[in-house]
Amino acid sequence: MIVQRVVLNSRPGKNGNPVAENFRVEEVNLSDNINEGQVQVRTLYLSVDPYMRCRMNEDTGTDYIRAWQLSQVVDGGGIGIVEESKHINFTKGDFVISLYWPWQTKVILDGNSLEKVDPQLVDGNLSYFLGAIGMPGLTSLIGIQEKGHITGGSNQTMVVSGAAGACGSLAGQIGHLMGCSRVVGICGTQEKCLFLTSELGFDAAVNYKKGNVAEQLRELCPAGVDVYFDNVGGDISDAVISQMNQNSHIILCGQISQYNKDVPYPPPLPPAVEAIQKERNITRERFLVLNYKDKFESGILQLSQWFKEGKLKIKETVINGLENMGAAFQSMMTGGNLGKQIVCISEETSV
């Protein structure tokens, strides 16, 4: 059987911007036979995420993320449907997910690498398992629970950078749900600002490309900042940190402004900002959601419940076609997405 797949065509370089041409589509032959313990799946949706940028380098700079290899199939979060199974846990028609799903139209996988999911948790919106009811949702929820130190009724103000992205758009809503009295988002267009305040319930939003971020934050956060959900790093974060209160907390989710630069993670703060952090006893600890696997099951159930109750609004930007994976990745890295960036490979959910 001939299938299509996406391979890494070239590396952008540690200090380069990724482009669609870093990826290429090719056809390969998929075996007609599967072995004991394997399943053949048809890919439905694939995820593109900021953390993947380091996988484009020869060395990811971390011990828990593998680099993609040149001319080899690319992988990441994916969901699909089982077409044939020789694994005890799966039968034809099951929906399954993996964090290491090959970017391929159909694929034979080791059943032990897959997890079965229940479409009822997402009201049939299967792609949500790659976003709000998946790793980005868990990252936002567990990050806030573990590192945010939110106490209901204590008038805390939360600021979220990258607020219209996959994690940010959820983090602001979760901040409210967990008791923050004021949530302010930072993003890069007026359209995104309006989306945050009119659809997601943020109290205010700052467009960092218009005017002075620090001045706007001073106006919108008169009582200072107690919790900062940081998706971007760089100058924006420096402006937020300088307005954080004594004993406040930074949830270090991502640093997308630094991903195209050869710097350590998390990137060091400029000396003046670091001095403020130390002086005000602001916590800024690296947060890795994979260290909290014991909280995944309860977290998914909580996210699903909020979604079903209408308390957690979910937004996706969907691009169709495996051939557009590279374009989707480039767009996501430059802020082209509202909410989670998803690529639809196949919408046929029957076998």
Side-chain angles (χ1 to χ4, degrees):
M1 186 192 338
I2 301 294
V3 299
Q4 285 189 310
R5 69 177 189 174
V6 175
V7 300
L8 187 64
N9 188 46
S10 57
R11 299 189 190 277
K14 280 195 166 183
N15 296 301
N17 294 318
V19 291
E21 292 72 31
N22 292 136
F23 303 92
R24 74 169 186 272
V25 179
E26 59 182 31
E27 291 190 337
V28 289
N29 201 19
L30 189 69
S31 168
D32 292 327
N33 300 314
I34 65 171
N35 299 324
E36 277 305 316
Q38 292 184 322
V39 290
Q40 181 188 302
V41 291
R42 176 160 45 81
T43 306
L44 297 174
Y45 298 97
L46 293 171
S47 175
V48 288
D49 302 280
Y51 84 88
M52 293 174 167
R53 173 62 186 84
C54 71
R55 301 191 69 186
M56 300 182 81
N57 299 335
E58 277 182 65
D59 175 10
T60 63
T62 68
D63 50 9
Y64 61 91
I65 300 175
R66 294 193 305 261
W68 289 328
Q69 300 304 311
L70 288 170
S71 298
Q72 298 293 311
V73 68
V74 174
D75 66 350
I79 184 165
I81 188 167
V82 175
E83 293 192 320
E84 190 185 344
S85 173
K86 285 192 179 173
H87 190 287
I88 192 167
N89 293 351
F90 305 107
T91 55
K92 190 174 172 177
D94 284 348
F95 296 106
V96 289
I97 56 169
S98 171
L99 291 178
Y100 302 101
W101 194 288
W103 290 8
Q104 196 163 304
T105 48
K106 292 190 180 192
V107 64
I108 294 169
L109 294 169
D110 176 355
N112 293 334
S113 69
L114 298 170
E115 188 183 336
K116 187 175 167 178
V117 291
D118 177 4
Q120 289 188 323
L121 287 174
V122 291
D123 286 351
N125 299 283
L126 294 169
S127 56
Y128 289 3
F129 283 120
L130 302 180
I133 319 294
M135 289 308 284
L138 287 171
T139 300
S140 304
L141 174 63
I142 297 170
I144 290 169
Q145 285 174 335
E146 296 295 319
K147 303 290 185 184
H149 303 277
I150 294 169
T151 314
S154 55
N155 284 332
Q156 286 166 301
T157 296
M158 174 191 266
V159 171
V160 182
S161 56
C167 285
S169 61
L170 301 169
Q173 297 181 79
I174 292 168
H176 265 320
L177 287 166
M178 291 184 67
C180 280
S181 58
R182 187 164 181 76
V183 176
V184 176
I186 305 174
C187 54
T189 68
Q190 289 307 111
E191 178 203 8
K192 288 179 178 178
C193 286
L194 188 61
F195 162 67
L196 294 179
T197 53
S198 65
E199 290 190 44
L200 300 190
F202 281 64
D203 297 287
V206 172
N207 177 354
Y208 70 85
K209 292 179 182 171
K210 274 196 166 179
N212 182 300
V213 173
E215 279 176 19
Q216 292 177 78
L217 280 175
R218 262 193 293 279
E219 201 176 297
L220 296 172
C221 307
V225 178
D226 301 294
V227 185
Y228 173 37
F229 196 95
D230 184 6
N231 284 300
V232 303
D235 295 345
I236 292 171
S237 289
D238 297 345
V240 179
I241 293 168
S242 64
Q243 298 190 38
M244 293 186 74
N245 293 327
Q246 194 74 26
N247 303 321
S248 54
H249 304 281
I250 298 169
I251 301 159
L252 206 51
C253 179
Q255 304 280 280
I256 198 168
S257 74
Q258 309 296 305
Y259 286 171
N260 295 327
K261 300 174 188 171
D262 186 11
V263 293
Y265 186 86
L269 297 170
V273 181
E274 191 178 10
I276 290 171
Q277 183 210 341
K278 287 185 170 156
E279 196 177 292
R280 297 183 195 165
N281 193 33
I282 302 169
T283 60
R284 181 182 184 255
E285 300 161 354
R286 184 174 183 163
F287 169 71
L288 180 58
V289 73
L290 296 174
N291 290 340
Y292 298 91
K293 286 183 177 168
D294 59 317
K295 293 182 164 44
F296 282 14
E297 196 177 336
S298 59
I300 291 293
L301 291 174
Q302 176 66 82
L303 293 161
S304 170
Q305 185 187 335
W306 280 335
F307 158 61
K308 289 185 167 197
E309 290 172 350
K311 293 176 181 172
L312 191 66
K313 306 279 194 305
I314 298 175
K315 180 71 175 174
E316 293 179 320
T317 299
V318 181
I319 292 180
N320 289 312
L322 187 80
E323 69 280 4
N324 291 315
M325 291 299 296
F329 186 83
Q330 181 179 356
S331 173
M332 177 270 309
M333 285 298 295
T334 49
N337 54 305
L338 256 184
K340 179 81 184 82
Q341 179 74 64
I342 293 284
V343 181
C344 175
I345 309 302
S346 166
E347 287 184 289
E348 182 52 59
T349 56
S350 58
V351 287

